Amino acid sequence: SQTEPYTCGACGIQFQFYNNLLEHMQSHAADNENNIASSQPRSPLPVVEEKWKPQLQRNNTNHTSASGSVGNSVIPEKERQNIAERLLRVMCTDLGVLSVVSGKEFIKLAQTLVDSGARYGAFSVTEILGNFNTLALKHLPRMYNQVKVKVTCALGSNACLGIGVTCHSQSVGPDSCYILTAYQVEGNHIKSYVLGIKGVDIRDNGDFIHHWVQNVLSEFVMSEIRTVYVTDCKVNSSAFSKAGMCLRCSACALNSVVQSVLNKRTLQARNMHEVIELLNVCEDLAGSTGLSKETFGSLEETSPPPCWNSVTDSLLLVHERYEQICEFYSRAKKMNLIQNLNKHLLSNLAAILAPVKQAVIELSNESRPTLQLVLPTYVKLEKLFTSKANDAGVVSKLCHLFLEALKENFKVHSAHKVAMILDPQQKLRPVPPYQHEEIISKVCELINEVKESWAEETEFEPSTKKPRASGEATAAQEEDWFGKNEVYDYLQEPLFQATPDLFQYWSCVTQKHTKLAKLAFWLLAVPAVGARSECVNMCEQALLIKRRRLLSPEDMNKLMFLKSNML
């Protein structure tokens, strides 16, 4: 027979078990204690967090009685519980705060509040400081200007070397925004600075984006600093051609190569139904409940950049984890899905697509130079597609399509050719001899283009004086001024066997190859890929601020600038 339910005397809620009622009553008691504690006026005694600041007594020299009574005592347990509850409430308002609360900056804020309490006694935060949001935003322009000065000084300190700039859009759900980042070598490392973030408006065209980029850059970079732009496929590169060299993001380009060939409509028009079928089955297998990267581990340790959203991922996952997937589906008694899989075509396609994805991962390395890898990547993929184009059947057909798409989408610019030469492990090795002269002349052209800005530089003094215009200059001297002799001397040196740290290498041969070293420190700072892994996170936050209308676009841009460049 059902026993009478236990009723709470305070609020009338009924419980089936006595233990539940006891727990419930304890919650009431704790809640009452908290209310009493928070409603009572606090005594002006400083509250000291355990282990936070051992030198607290130094702050309390004006409060001898207070420091004498509390000293470095451990905070009372009830007070710790009170703090813990407040913290938990803050965390619950937005789970993104979890990482904030455990970060150094939050600890510093808490410490500053504790120190102020120690100096001036307990006080009502809202009465003394007002709205925290308003307080912070009041100081935003000042802090923005402080950090802006540091970034501007950094980007202007090597005026003669030039910088790289990426302008890349990142989508998060239906929205997207552009991120503008500047790159430069500092010491032997590539340093990056996020200069601006802008939510994308459907009405914005390439020219509009170009004006935005120019406006932002004009705030940070002197107009005479040479710039190489790397843009994504949505930005019209012709808009940048007047301002400097404009390259296309290599990951976007390779993504376009794959998407244009494996587009289901295109495949249908070319009667490649077995490829469509394979892609569909792989998507089903990789997308089914229970089968995820968590189930079988991720495909690679380094993930490709956010602009690689290729149809190949599920296909490569199924190929890589085929055994585990079979086992998974046989246990789930769903072997019909596996039986629909064309295993032969799968392994052939994976052999073509895995090197493409690997190339994207290599080209998107954020800690080392990557521009010198673009031309060798093109050559490698061209060889791969050509070798498989002689196979029979559908794979051959696909490889012919890949070759066409590679030529059309993966454009190699003269800057890529020059960067390749500047890698002492590659020099001209990746390309056939008939292209050598053309590439050497590109190097000389670029040296000649930028040499005006070297004239004043004592540190990188060109080894030969400029020939007089009186006609005394011989052809050999003329060639030397254009840097040809230096380029040939460098090319005749044996190739490096180990992979060198490129900036380390060029800083060691600066005296010997002055002009080339100058070029290397500028050009090798330019990344091959425009999107970075932190872009997604930044964009998510920017779009969240925009959607909730928490800040004006200008304040949001300043806040994101501080977030990127302050730490």
Side-chain angles (χ1 to χ4, degrees):
S1 66
Q2 181 66 40
T3 53
E4 281 291 303
Y6 299 98
T7 309
C8 166
C11 64
I13 294 178
Q14 296 186 328
F15 294 91
Q16 194 177 348
F17 300 105
Y18 184 63
N19 280 356
N20 293 12
L21 174 68
L22 275 182
E23 280 175 21
H24 175 76
M25 300 287 277
Q26 281 163 353
S27 303
H28 270 304
D31 201 34
N32 288 339
E33 275 177 22
N34 282 344
N35 286 341
I36 293 162
S38 57
S39 60
Q40 276 177 348
R42 296 279 170 95
S43 62
L45 279 182
V47 177
V48 185
E49 166 60 290
E50 177 187 15
K51 292 182 190 160
W52 261 4
K53 251 203 179 166
Q55 72 271 35
L56 192 103
Q57 267 127 343
R58 198 184 63 205
N59 296 339
N60 286 346
T61 45
N62 305 336
H63 300 266
T64 41
S65 62
S67 61
S69 60
V70 175
N72 264 350
S73 66
V74 174
I75 204 162
E77 187 53 34
K78 200 173 279 184
E79 203 54 50
R80 289 178 75 86
Q81 281 178 2
N82 191 19
I83 291 169
E85 190 199 324
R86 293 275 156 236
L87 264 178
L88 205 54
R89 282 171 188 271
V90 170
M91 287 171 165
C92 290
T93 53
D94 183 352
L95 293 179
V97 175
L98 282 166
S99 58
V100 176
V101 169
S102 57
K104 280 190 301 195
E105 291 309 316
F106 180 81
I107 299 288
K108 284 179 188 167
L109 167 66
Q111 184 65 63
T112 308
L113 291 171
V114 167
D115 290 351
S116 302
R119 284 197 194 95
Y120 308 111
F123 53 80
S124 157
V125 174
T126 44
E127 279 173 30
I128 309 271
L129 299 178
N131 180 320
F132 264 50
N133 200 14
T134 314
L135 180 71
L137 289 177
K138 204 175 279 179
H139 288 274
L140 180 61
R142 190 175 64 87
M143 284 188 72
Y144 173 75
N145 286 331
Q146 279 176 342
V147 178
K148 185 178 165 184
V149 166
K150 285 181 189 166
V151 173
T152 308
C153 289
L155 291 175
S157 61
N158 294 336
C160 53
L161 301 181
I163 57 170
V165 169
T166 60
C167 178
H168 208 285
S169 70
Q170 188 52 55
S171 298
V172 180
D175 296 316
S176 57
C177 56
Y178 278 98
I179 292 200
L180 187 71
T181 313
Y183 303 81
Q184 187 189 52
V185 179
E186 284 179 22
N188 284 341
H189 299 286
I190 298 175
K191 196 93 191 334
S192 67
Y193 302 95
V194 172
L195 302 184
I197 289 190
K198 182 190 187 311
V200 177
D201 196 316
I202 303 156
R203 293 162 300 202
D204 296 350
N205 58 14
D207 284 342
F208 189 87
I209 295 296
H210 170 65
H211 290 312
W212 171 69
V213 170
Q214 292 309 310
N215 286 341
V216 175
L217 283 182
S218 67
E219 287 185 42
F220 290 94
V221 182
M222 291 181 289
S223 56
E224 61 270 21
I225 290 184
R226 299 192 167 270
T227 309
V228 179
Y229 294 94
V230 180
T231 63
D232 67 12
C233 45
K234 295 179 194 128
V235 179
N236 183 359
S237 57
S238 64
F240 288 93
S241 54
K242 298 182 202 79
M245 273 189 280
C246 188
L247 317 176
R248 190 172 171 195
C249 166
S250 296
C252 284
L254 282 175
N255 204 34
S256 304
V257 169
V258 174
Q259 301 281 21
S260 65
V261 174
L262 296 184
N263 179 305
K264 287 178 185 168
R265 222 175 259 172
T266 315
L267 291 170
Q268 214 157 2
R270 293 201 159 92
N271 255 347
M272 295 189 182
H273 300 295
E274 63 267 60
V275 180
I276 300 173
E277 178 64 20
L278 178 68
L279 290 172
N280 288 341
V281 171
C282 287
E283 273 168 29
D284 287 349
L285 285 173
S288 295
T289 324
L291 171 60
S292 62
K293 286 187 176 173
E294 285 74 48
T295 316
F296 301 117
S298 181
L299 263 184
E300 67 285 306
E301 279 165 33
T302 15
S303 53
C307 54
W308 172 263
N309 53 352
S310 173
V311 286
T312 63
D313 280 7
S314 52
L315 187 138
L316 290 171
L317 180 76
V318 171
H319 178 258
E320 182 102 350
R321 309 274 186 243
Y322 185 73
E323 259 60 62
Q324 290 144 300
I325 288 171
C326 284
E327 196 184 318
F328 177 83
Y329 280 104
S330 67
R331 277 207 308 272
K333 309 236 178 337
K334 287 184 180 169
M335 281 307 283
N336 59 325
L337 268 172
I338 298 285
Q339 279 147 11
N340 294 337
L341 190 73
N342 183 337
K343 183 75 173 43
H344 178 68
L345 183 57
L346 174 70
S347 53
N348 272 318
L349 255 179
I352 299 168
L353 295 169
V356 179
K357 186 171 182 182
Q358 190 49 43
V360 170
I361 291 168
E362 284 164 16
L363 288 168
S364 62
N365 187 316
E366 289 172 18
S367 56
R368 290 201 297 275
T370 48
L371 201 69
Q372 78 286 3
L373 303 175
V374 174
L375 178 52
T377 297
Y378 181 92
V379 172
K380 210 183 330 179
L381 292 177
E382 191 180 39
K383 278 182 184 160
L384 171 79
F385 298 148
T386 309
S387 69
K388 303 237 178 239
N390 301 326
D391 293 4
V394 72
V395 175
S396 162
K397 242 184 189 180
L398 278 172
C399 281
H400 282 293
L401 293 175
F402 273 119
L403 276 170
E404 274 173 41
L406 190 69
K407 284 192 182 77
E408 195 168 318
N409 294 291
F410 198 69
K411 303 281 187 221
V412 176
H413 191 280
S414 59
H416 298 131
K417 297 173 183 176
V418 176
M420 178 190 73
I421 275 199
L422 297 172
D423 180 349
Q425 198 188 17
Q426 296 190 126
K427 294 185 180 173
L428 287 162
R429 189 175 55 180
V431 293
Y434 72 85
Q435 292 182 13
H436 290 187
E437 269 309 312
E438 181 228 342
I439 294 178
I440 291 168
S441 67
K442 295 279 180 214
V443 179
C444 296
E445 259 173 52
L446 210 49
I447 285 176
N448 196 40
E449 238 178 76
V450 294
K451 76 168 189 284
E452 297 89 51
S453 58
W454 306 351
E456 311 85 55
E457 285 292 316
T458 50
E459 186 194 345
F460 272 98
E461 192 97 274
S463 50
T464 52
K465 296 275 183 285
K466 189 167 183 177
R468 291 187 208 98
S470 60
E472 292 169 25
T474 61
Q477 279 177 310
E478 194 69 46
E479 276 207 340
D480 197 38
W481 172 245
F482 282 112
K484 224 168 197 175
N485 291 354
E486 192 182 300
V487 177
Y488 280 122
D489 287 348
Y490 162 69
L491 289 174
Q492 275 158 12
E493 290 168 12
L495 286 170
F496 251 60
Q497 291 316 303
T499 306
D501 176 327
L502 292 180
F503 297 124
Q504 187 69 50
Y505 168 83
W506 284 108
S507 56
C508 292
V509 298
T510 298
Q511 296 306 312
K512 198 173 169 191
H513 304 308
T514 315
K515 300 182 179 80
L516 282 171
K518 194 84 164 174
L519 205 52
F521 274 100
W522 167 35
L523 209 53
L524 295 176
V526 180
V529 169
R532 296 172 80 78
S533 52
E534 81 251 18
C535 286
V536 182
N537 186 305
M538 297 268 299
C539 287
E540 277 173 355
Q541 290 177 358
L543 291 167
L544 191 70
I545 290 170
K546 184 184 164 190
R547 259 185 243 125
R548 291 183 181 172
R549 299 204 170 93
L550 296 171
L551 297 174
S552 70
E554 194 185 337
D555 281 349
M556 183 269 286
N557 180 53
K558 285 181 177 172
L559 200 63
M560 295 313 248
F561 172 82
L562 287 180
K563 178 184 163 62
S564 321
N565 302 308
M566 230 167 123
L567 305 176

